[in-house]
Amino acid sequence: SMKRRFTALGSYARDGAGCDGILFSCSAFGSSIEAVQQLLRTDDFPVLKPNEAMMEKAAALGQPNDKGKRLPIGVFSIFEPSLPSFTRELQEIAGGDLDLRLHYIPGALDQLNGDDEAGCIATISEYVAQVVDEMNRKHEQMACVSFVMFSMARAKKATEARLEQLGFAAPPVLTSPDLAVQQMRTLLGH
């Protein structure tokens, strides 16, 4: 089974290769990763899911502010089928109280698969900017922008630059790779 293969890989990483921790990079294997976490995760040996740190950060940003107002979290994906599982996990972390605004960015994955990385980045950054600008026109703010897929991290800087061009305080752009590595480094004391 897949879980058995993942736990064997995790055990090898810890016991055979001498790794200090494991950071998985594909959320499609959630239940298999959870099996590795149950078997191997300790305070001294972190085992992290790819989106775990980003979801925790987004959930924290989506909590009510000092005025009791809950800002919505923008959840963006270039692969539409990834939105339901990401949404479910994010709501589980926060106890189901988040205001999530789900957005599928059409065409961006096709551009990436067609070796048009620049086009993919431009599509993502422009789409996010349009959503944030539209919300601003309705006098709404977004707590953060969360990119569901690791492959979207390549668009973070361009998206931040595009949001800055809008001329108002932009929400932070969260990506799994950045926050996962930060969390792993913190847990390992680096």
Side-chain angles (χ1 to χ4, degrees), residues 72-138:
I73 296 169
V75 178
F76 295 83
S77 182
I78 60 175
F79 182 61
E80 195 168 17
S82 66
L83 287 168
S85 64
F86 186 89
T87 301
R88 185 178 56 256
E89 286 185 59
L90 186 52
Q91 288 289 14
E92 284 174 8
I93 287 172
D97 292 333
L98 298 174
D99 178 1
L100 303 179
R101 309 288 173 91
L102 308 181
H103 301 277
Y104 164 63
I105 305 172
L109 184 58
D110 291 334
Q111 290 171 312
L112 188 59
N113 289 336
D115 291 329
D116 183 7
E117 183 175 1
C120 174
I121 290 169
T123 297
I124 292 169
S125 61
E126 190 57 37
Y127 189 96
V128 172
Q130 287 175 6
V131 169
V132 171
D133 191 40
E134 183 178 315
M135 287 183 69
N136 186 62
R137 282 193 230 135
K138 294 177 183 177

Side-chain angles (χ1 to χ4, degrees), residues 2-176:
M2 188 64 73
K3 287 181 184 179
R4 190 176 70 249
R5 290 178 184 156
F6 266 70
T7 56
L9 176 63
S11 295
Y12 172 75
R14 185 189 66 189
D15 303 330
C19 294
D20 295 327
I22 300 171
L23 169 58
F24 287 98
S25 62
C26 184
S27 59
F29 303 104
S31 62
S32 296
I33 296 169
E34 289 165 3
V36 177
Q37 288 178 319
Q38 290 174 352
L39 180 68
L40 302 176
R41 186 182 212 166
T42 66
D43 289 341
D44 295 328
F45 191 80
V47 178
L48 304 178
K49 292 167 109 176
N51 291 327
E52 190 173 348
M54 182 179 66
M55 287 183 181
E56 289 171 4
K57 176 82 170 182
L61 292 171
Q63 294 303 312
N65 61 23
D66 56 355
K67 297 177 184 174
K69 183 175 180 178
R70 183 181 304 276
L71 296 179
I73 296 169
V75 178
F76 295 83
S77 182
I78 60 175
F79 182 61
E80 195 168 17
S82 66
L83 287 168
S85 64
F86 186 89
T87 301
R88 185 178 56 256
E89 286 185 59
L90 186 52
Q91 288 289 14
E92 284 174 8
I93 287 172
D97 292 333
L98 298 174
D99 178 1
L100 303 179
R101 309 288 173 91
L102 308 181
H103 301 277
Y104 164 63
I105 305 172
L109 184 58
D110 291 334
Q111 290 171 312
L112 188 59
N113 289 336
D115 291 329
D116 183 7
E117 183 175 1
C120 174
I121 290 169
T123 297
I124 292 169
S125 61
E126 190 57 37
Y127 189 96
V128 172
Q130 287 175 6
V131 169
V132 171
D133 191 40
E134 183 178 315
M135 287 183 69
N136 186 62
R137 282 193 230 135
K138 294 177 183 177
H139 305 287
E140 288 186 281
Q141 290 180 298
M142 193 177 286
C144 62
V145 168
S146 295
F147 286 166
V148 171
M149 301 179 67
F150 259 52
S151 57
M152 295 175 71
R154 68 189 76 231
K156 180 181 178 176
K157 288 184 181 180
T159 302
E160 289 171 334
R162 183 65 184 92
L163 291 175
E164 191 174 304
Q165 293 172 352
L166 295 176
F168 52 83
V173 178
L174 307 182
T175 68
S176 293

